[in-house]
Amino acid sequence: MSHLDDPARPAPPLGMLAELTHRCPLQCPYCSNPLELTRKRDELDTATWQRVFAEAAELGVLQVHLSGGEPALRQDLEALVASCAEQGLYSNLITAGVNIDRARLEALAEAGLDHVQLSVQGATAPINDHIANQPGAFDKKLAFAREVADVGLPLTLNSVIHRANLHQIPELVELALDLGARRLEIAHAQYYGWALENRGALMPPREQVMEALALVEAARERLEGKLVIDAVVPDYYARLPKPCMNGWGRQSLNVTPAGRVLPCHAAETIPGLTFLNVREHGLGEIWYDSSAFNAYRGTAWMPDTCQSCERREIDWGGCRCQALALTGEASQMDPVCERSPYHDEIQTLAIVDSKRDDDFTYRRFSRQSA
């Protein structure tokens, strides 16, 4: 019986995040990758990734996000892009843009790359390079973005927003326009992985967040039809949870550099779940039948308050990883929800945890993982 014949069976995923490596030339304090990074020697090889892409296409995936770390540190990136193209998968390269020259960009385009998503840490060199802890990174990003446009690939600019760069939202909008980007993503830092270690130096106070949202809305109205602006607000200041990943195991999956398959980027923080690996299991088997993917699917797992809520099939209970990080229990109500007993407590975290804006703990990479 296929999922089409069984209404209790989940629909196939639409998107897949392929985390090709954890290696990265930048040291961003908001990095959401896990505290324990996968070393180069433990990364999936080319043939295994190519098999995974074939299985993803067969499963129903339409779009693959090639991510990291920095995916361009993989010497086989062109072959992986070509494999996506062969399988009919739309490929989006998520990159820092500091180590891809014109020749390699042209090779990626020739291999079938569909889209480039460039991260910027600020709208000016001093802010960008300080946050990335990489002198000269901003100028390299600008040069790369212009090469992307020249090669003819569509460009999205992505900036993770926090206290150190929140004031630059208007400049980021102008930068996106200047570089010919079709889309700008303004994503407030989400506090998982290394970002949780730096929460006190990253989280802005509520009034700054509200000002930033007003700036984004004004820019959206002014530039409608010219630049798409997506915004992700910081969960801690919300009244209602968002449908994290559009619901656990409902529309997307992540494959880590070592081959473990996750319902979301931070799912490995949740104890008691077993995440199957593509080295030993097929992607379809993992999506439909693994205990980890089925753990928080649907509504049966929810606490009573969530079970009786009219939003239970809108937000799907919110974020399990956030519930764990803030309450100690992944099955708790997402504390972002105003009905959660933890809701008032998280509203004060920006004040309680506050550090200087530039008091970052940078992520360092060992020689073994580099």
Side-chain angles (χ1 to χ4, degrees):
M1 179 185 294
S2 75
H3 72 90
L4 296 175
D5 302 316
D6 183 359
R9 203 156 163 78
L14 301 177
M16 182 174 79
L17 181 67
E19 298 177 306
L20 303 182
T21 181
H22 280 155
R23 293 172 285 147
C24 187
L26 306 186
Q27 298 177 354
C28 301
Y30 58 76
C31 181
S32 59
N33 279 337
L35 298 180
E36 186 66 31
L37 298 175
T38 298
R39 296 183 175 185
K40 179 181 179 181
R41 67 177 183 235
D42 297 322
E43 294 172 2
L44 296 180
D45 61 20
T46 307
T48 304
W49 273 119
Q50 290 173 326
R51 174 176 59 79
V52 169
F53 294 146
E55 292 179 359
E58 183 178 359
L59 185 57
V61 169
L62 302 176
Q63 187 173 55
V64 172
H65 303 280
L66 303 168
S67 180
E70 174 49 62
L73 290 173
R74 292 276 305 214
Q75 298 302 307
D76 59 353
L77 183 57
E78 291 87 341
L80 298 182
V81 167
S83 182
C84 288
E86 290 165 7
Q87 298 297 333
L89 297 166
Y90 184 95
S91 58
N92 173 37
L93 177 64
I94 303 175
T95 178
V98 299
N99 62 343
I100 304 178
D101 60 19
R102 174 62 180 250
R104 193 169 197 206
L105 183 60
E106 289 178 345
L108 290 167
E110 180 66 25
L113 183 65
D114 291 299
H115 185 272
V116 174
Q117 180 174 318
L118 173 65
S119 68
V120 292
Q121 286 67 43
T124 58
I127 297 291
N128 182 95
D129 296 355
H130 168 62
I131 294 170
N133 202 27
Q134 181 67 258
F138 186 70
D139 290 341
K140 292 178 181 177
K141 288 172 181 287
L142 295 191
F144 173 75
R146 292 191 171 99
E147 295 282 18
V148 170
D150 196 44
V151 168
L153 288 169
L155 174 68
T156 290
L157 224 58
N158 172 276
S159 187
V160 175
I161 299 297
H162 43 80
R163 224 163 59 219
N165 63 6
L166 194 69
H167 63 286
Q168 289 200 316
I169 286 178
E171 289 90 343
L172 286 166
V173 171
E174 294 307 313
L175 180 64
L177 291 170
D178 179 59
L179 294 175
R182 301 182 184 180
R183 183 181 297 270
L184 171 64
E185 294 183 358
I186 300 291
H188 283 262
Q190 304 294 300
Y191 300 105
Y192 312 110
W194 202 252
L196 187 58
E197 299 287 308
N198 280 288
R199 184 175 62 191
L202 292 169
M203 186 183 291
R206 176 185 290 274
E207 57 271 18
Q208 288 186 14
V209 172
M210 296 304 110
E211 291 171 6
L213 292 176
L215 290 172
V216 169
E217 286 306 314
R220 276 176 169 165
E221 291 182 17
R222 176 170 61 90
L223 298 169
E224 186 176 2
K226 189 173 183 181
L227 177 68
V228 176
I229 303 177
D230 292 330
V232 178
V233 299
D235 290 348
Y236 289 17
Y237 292 136
R239 289 179 46 250
L240 299 170
K242 66 177 183 291
C244 188
M245 306 300 293
N246 291 310
W248 179 281
R250 292 191 70 246
Q251 290 188 3
S252 62
L253 48 78
N254 293 24
V255 182
T256 73
R260 290 181 296 279
V261 186
L262 315 177
C264 76
H265 187 70
E268 286 183 291
T269 62
I270 300 177
L273 297 181
T274 300
F275 299 103
L276 301 183
N277 197 299
V278 295
R279 299 180 200 267
E280 294 90 29
H281 301 271
L283 210 57
E285 173 196 352
I286 296 171
W287 175 257
Y288 288 116
D289 301 322
S290 70
S291 59
F293 272 82
N294 286 317
Y296 299 110
R297 271 183 172 140
T299 61
W301 62 270
M302 291 181 180
D304 290 344
T305 303
C306 298
Q307 291 259 11
S308 60
C309 179
E310 67 279 1
R311 290 180 53 84
R312 63 187 177 276
E313 293 187 1
I314 297 174
D315 60 38
W316 299 101
C319 180
R320 298 302 88 223
C321 304
Q322 186 161 261
L324 174 69
L326 294 174
T327 74
E329 295 181 34
S331 59
Q332 259 283 356
M333 295 174 65
D334 188 331
V336 164
C337 181
E338 60 187 356
R339 300 179 185 180
S340 166
Y342 296 90
H343 180 74
D344 291 342
E345 181 180 327
I346 68 168
Q347 303 294 300
T348 64
L349 283 174
I351 300 172
V352 173
D353 281 2
S354 185
K355 298 179 182 177
R356 291 199 337 265
D357 294 2
D358 61 352
D359 190 15
F360 295 139
T361 301
Y362 289 108
R363 164 156 254 166
R364 309 289 182 179
F365 295 88
S366 69
R367 181 172 298 178
Q368 290 90 343
S369 63

